[in-house]
Amino acid sequence: MRSIWLCADDYGISPAVNVGIRDLVVRGRLNATSALVVAPSCHHRAEALALDVLNRHEPRVAIGLHVALTAPFRPLSAGFRPLRDGRFMSLEGTGAYAFLRRFSHDALMTEIASQLDAFLQTFGRAPDFVDGHHHVHIFPQVRDALLRVAKERLPQAWLRQCGRAGSFAARAADGKAIFLDALSGTFRRRAAGLALRTNPAFAGAYKFDDDADFAALFPRFLEGLPDGGVVMCHPGFVDAELRNLDPLTTLREREYAYFAGAAFPAVLAHHGVGLARPSCGNGSTASS
């Protein structure tokens, strides 16, 4: 039996998404979620308490920091540049700046540290792991700043790398997989050089088309995924706040329905996979 992390990204992006994620944790269908502390709903103490209380009697869910550097969100640190109308740039703009190495290293470190401080204030403890909204944490420049912050302040947390499992031939047809593999190889090597832990493999990315058949896609994420691997997901319900912040809407409800349904545990059993048990507090296990 392989134990994996099924991680719901974007906790805090809206109350309806938060409700869906918490419901799946209570059902035993999720064992990790990462908090988007730059989102307005993540600032409400009640939303954090509603998640954190699920670990009160026994560890049910690892809670991570979901670092964000893309619109429509605003930075938490003063002086972060560049901005567009007070917000981070688009994903394309942030990616271009990072690959051209035009960001200030100090500004990136300050913003990542500010988001970590917001997590500490909101949840009252350090995150179990760190990942990134739109995978920005593995971009050039951003990864160096994040690794330094993690080394200085989060040596017990693990960091999500996005390299896939399986042979190159199986991944070659997916351009996004190749892109993530290339960035993750450097990220893993630099993390290892700092004695920081990463997950051994990653899955869960797919093209967010409205007609995507998530029930057909999910079993493929488990193929070749090793013990300790991470599957990213985005379940939740749709509300006005989500629609105002993110284009990924109806697919969240489709993912929620799949994880809440009877087919999901049967698929896990068929593939010899179970959900890893989180440890208490900081440092839920993942290793490379």
Side-chain angles (χ1 to χ4, degrees), residues 100-135:
L100 292 173
R101 303 185 181 277
R102 297 180 64 187
F103 280 115
S104 161
H105 176 75
D106 289 344
L108 285 171
M109 280 198 62
T110 300
E111 176 59 26
I112 293 168
S114 295
Q115 294 187 29
L116 172 57
D117 289 338
F119 185 101
L120 294 169
Q121 183 177 3
T122 301
F123 290 95
R125 67 174 181 89
D128 296 304
F129 61 95
V130 181
D131 56 30
H133 193 51
H134 298 144
H135 312 298

Side-chain angles (χ1 to χ4, degrees), residues 14 16-21 23 235-239 242 249 252-253 256:
S14 82
V17 169
N18 296 351
V19 167
I21 290 173
D23 178 74
F237 301 115
V238 177
D239 58 9
L242 175 64
T249 55
R252 292 182 190 266
E253 295 193 339
Y256 169 84

Side-chain angles (χ1 to χ4, degrees), residues 58 68 103 119 126 160 183 191 199 217 233 240 248 287:
E58 61 176 331
F103 280 115
F119 185 101
R160 185 165 86 185
L183 293 179
N199 51 298
L217 289 168
C233 59
L248 184 58
S287 59

Side-chain angles (χ1 to χ4, degrees), residues 160-180:
R160 185 165 86 185
Q161 65 88 22
C162 304
R164 312 301 180 90
S167 66
F168 177 79
R171 293 179 279 113
D174 188 338
K176 186 175 182 179
I178 296 173
F179 177 73
L180 292 175

Side-chain angles (χ1 to χ4, degrees), residues 176 204-212 232 234 247-248 251 255:
K176 186 175 182 179
Y206 64 98
K207 192 173 182 180
F208 293 136
D209 290 332
D210 287 343
D211 59 351
M232 171 188 71
H234 298 83
L248 184 58
L251 284 177
E255 290 192 23

Side-chain angles (χ1 to χ4, degrees), residues 18-262:
N18 296 351
V19 167
I21 290 173
R22 292 197 303 266
D23 178 74
L24 291 174
V25 171
V26 171
R27 293 170 181 261
R29 304 298 176 88
L30 286 177
N31 61 348
T33 187
S34 49
L36 189 65
V37 296
V38 297
S41 286
C42 207
H43 296 167
H44 299 305
R45 183 66 175 160
E47 293 292 332
L49 288 174
L51 177 64
D52 212 31
V53 74
L54 300 182
N55 287 329
R56 178 169 295 174
H57 299 296
E58 61 176 331
R60 288 177 167 180
V61 58
I63 304 173
L65 169 63
H66 200 49
V67 172
L69 295 172
T70 56
F73 303 107
R74 299 175 184 270
L76 300 186
S77 59
F80 184 90
R81 296 291 184 274
L83 299 176
R84 298 290 183 268
D85 299 322
R87 298 175 172 84
F88 293 120
M89 292 185 293
S90 66
L91 174 59
E92 293 77 14
T94 297
Y97 245 72
F99 278 87
L100 292 173
R101 303 185 181 277
R102 297 180 64 187
F103 280 115
S104 161
H105 176 75
D106 289 344
L108 285 171
M109 280 198 62
T110 300
E111 176 59 26
I112 293 168
S114 295
Q115 294 187 29
L116 172 57
D117 289 338
F119 185 101
L120 294 169
Q121 183 177 3
T122 301
F123 290 95
R125 67 174 181 89
D128 296 304
F129 61 95
V130 181
D131 56 30
H133 193 51
H134 298 144
H135 312 298
V136 296
H137 66 299
I138 62 173
F139 285 7
Q141 281 200 292
V142 180
R143 65 191 173 208
D144 298 324
L146 182 138
L147 289 170
R148 183 171 172 186
V149 171
K151 181 63 177 178
E152 292 177 357
R153 301 185 56 184
L154 295 170
Q156 300 304 313
W158 57 272
L159 312 176
R160 185 165 86 185
Q161 65 88 22
C162 304
R164 312 301 180 90
S167 66
F168 177 79
R171 293 179 279 113
D174 188 338
K176 186 175 182 179
I178 296 173
F179 177 73
L180 292 175
D181 284 343
L183 293 179
S184 293
T186 302
F187 185 83
R188 286 194 306 271
R189 289 190 296 272
R190 295 187 181 182
L194 294 170
L196 295 169
R197 295 176 297 142
T198 59
N199 51 298
F202 170 84
Y206 64 98
K207 192 173 182 180
F208 293 136
D209 290 332
D210 287 343
D211 59 351
D213 186 351
F214 188 75
L217 289 168
F218 184 80
R220 303 177 195 173
F221 300 152
L222 304 178
E223 295 173 2
L225 192 69
D227 195 63
V230 172
V231 178
M232 171 188 71
C233 59
H234 298 83
F237 301 115
V238 177
D239 58 9
E241 188 164 336
L242 175 64
R243 291 192 184 96
N244 188 48
L245 293 172
D246 196 86
L248 184 58
T249 55
T250 55
L251 284 177
R252 292 182 190 266
E253 295 193 339
R254 196 171 301 166
E255 290 192 23
Y256 169 84
Y258 176 74
F259 291 131

